[in-house]
Amino acid sequence: MKIKNGFAKRNIAGSEIVVPIGKQAREFNGMITLNESGGFLWDCFTKDISVDEAVEMLLNEYEVDEATARKDVEGFVKMLKDNGLTE
């Protein structure tokens, strides 16, 4: 799974914000605010990776158990899909 092209993550006043750019700016009205782990997962999904790979990456980056990491990744993926942000 991979995030569509046409979105940029920016750090604005200490917050991670995702905004549409180019053609996506006409189709996606709004912005998404990410917490620290959400920003990390966003960066992970800029490449075509699986949920299992993202869980492993999250486990390597944060002190969290596998069940929590999987729940967080699956929730993040759902948010991406619900907002039409995946290819």
Side-chain angles (χ1 to χ4, degrees):
M1 191 190 88
K2 183 179 178 200
I3 295 171
K4 283 182 185 177
N5 290 330
F7 293 92
K9 183 182 79 158
R10 301 286 186 251
N11 188 300
I12 301 172
S15 295
E16 298 288 340
I17 308 291
V18 174
V19 295
I21 56 176
K23 181 180 112 178
Q24 291 296 341
R26 292 188 303 270
E27 297 174 10
F28 185 88
N29 294 321
M31 63 181 175
I32 298 170
T33 303
L34 302 171
N35 62 16
E36 181 182 340
S37 60
F40 176 81
L41 288 173
W42 181 273
D43 292 342
C44 292
F45 283 110
T46 60
K47 302 170 203 75
D48 191 11
I49 64 169
S50 69
V51 168
D52 289 338
E53 289 170 316
V55 169
E56 191 63 35
M57 294 168 87
L58 199 63
L59 288 170
N60 289 332
E61 185 69 19
Y62 295 97
E63 290 186 26
V64 61
D65 62 86
E66 186 171 352
T68 301
R70 184 162 301 280
K71 180 181 173 194
D72 289 351
V73 169
E74 289 173 352
F76 188 79
V77 166
K78 181 179 180 338
M79 180 277 297
L80 292 175
K81 288 180 178 179
D82 288 351
N83 286 286
L85 300 175
T86 59
E87 294 183 340

